[in-house]
Amino acid sequence: MRCIWAELQVITVINVALPKGRLGHKVYEMMANAGYSFDGITDKGRRLVFVNEALNMRCFWVKPFDVPVYVERGTADIGLAGKDILMERKPDVYELLDLHAGKCKMCVAAVNGFHDPIERPLKVATEFPNISREYYGSLGREIDVIELRGSLELAPVLGLSDVIVDIVETGTTLRENNLSVIATIAELSARLIANKSAYKFNGGIISEIIRRLANDTDNA
Ligand code: PRP
């Protein structure tokens, strides 16, 4: 008689959080090139969850800002997130690989000819209050953070803020609004992050994903 336990196989499904939007399409392409593809994922539908049974993988599109939340709490074992979001949220996760995709910079920008009004706190419009406070804190400059959601370039043009702390990729949005970079805070790109327990228990599978993605990164 064969032991029934020998028939049992524990199947581990790896859950992957992908960021919706521009960066998501770039990083998914890298995953597909590395052999991790999902039927229908690039279709123009509203579906959010995709499964590849052969790979024992499931992935889902989430708002870029939320990728670290899914990973930190273990709903996703791994995720692909922009360094800007990791700097802003400081999640308790492992940052395991720089994919060198979606390269851009976190910058301070202002209208051309800007002078710092040193007699009062600097008004900073941003989607990244923690990065802004940390950066200006390191300079000993007092700031008044104005949190906005997108189209930040409007704020200094209309006088809502003195400067913005925002992502600059090509610089086109700044140029077309008569703004320029006055300081670079950090270089940014997409990173692979992992939940700490998932990495402890499924380190072999996650390391293989990293190995394949790293090859793809080298060939990029
Ligand atoms: C981002 C960023 C800048 C722009 C920079 O905005 O906030 O506005 O891209 O890119 P560029 O240097 O290539 O012009 P996004 O397009 O994500 O939209 P948002 O303004 O709604 O945040």
Side-chain angles (χ1 to χ4, degrees), residues 22 127 149-153 166-174:
R22 263 194 292 188
E127 290 187 74
R149 288 283 171 264
S151 300
L152 295 176
E153 292 81 4
D166 196 12
I167 290 164
V168 178
E169 191 176 351
T170 60
T172 309
T173 316
L174 291 183

Side-chain angles (χ1 to χ4, degrees), residues 117-137:
I118 46 172
E119 70 288 354
R120 61 165 171 80
L122 186 71
K123 288 187 272 179
V124 180
T126 188
E127 290 187 74
F128 303 94
N130 295 330
I131 292 174
S132 302
R133 287 196 188 96
E134 205 170 303
Y135 172 70
Y136 279 105

Side-chain angles (χ1 to χ4, degrees), residues 78-125:
I78 59 172
L80 296 156
K83 181 67 180 173
D84 51 326
I85 288 152
L86 300 176
M87 286 170 67
E88 180 64 23
R89 296 199 87 138
K90 294 200 190 315
D92 186 19
V93 298
Y94 292 132
E95 185 182 316
L96 297 172
L97 180 70
D98 182 348
L99 281 89
H100 300 290
K103 284 189 180 178
C104 51
K105 293 177 182 183
M106 182 64 66
C107 294
V108 182
V111 290
N112 299 327
F114 163 79
H115 288 292
D116 190 335
I118 46 172
E119 70 288 354
R120 61 165 171 80
L122 186 71
K123 288 187 272 179
V124 180

Side-chain angles (χ1 to χ4, degrees), residues 195-206:
N195 173 272
K196 289 188 167 176
S197 312
Y199 190 65
K200 188 170 165 195
F201 294 109
N202 298 311
I205 302 173
I206 295 172

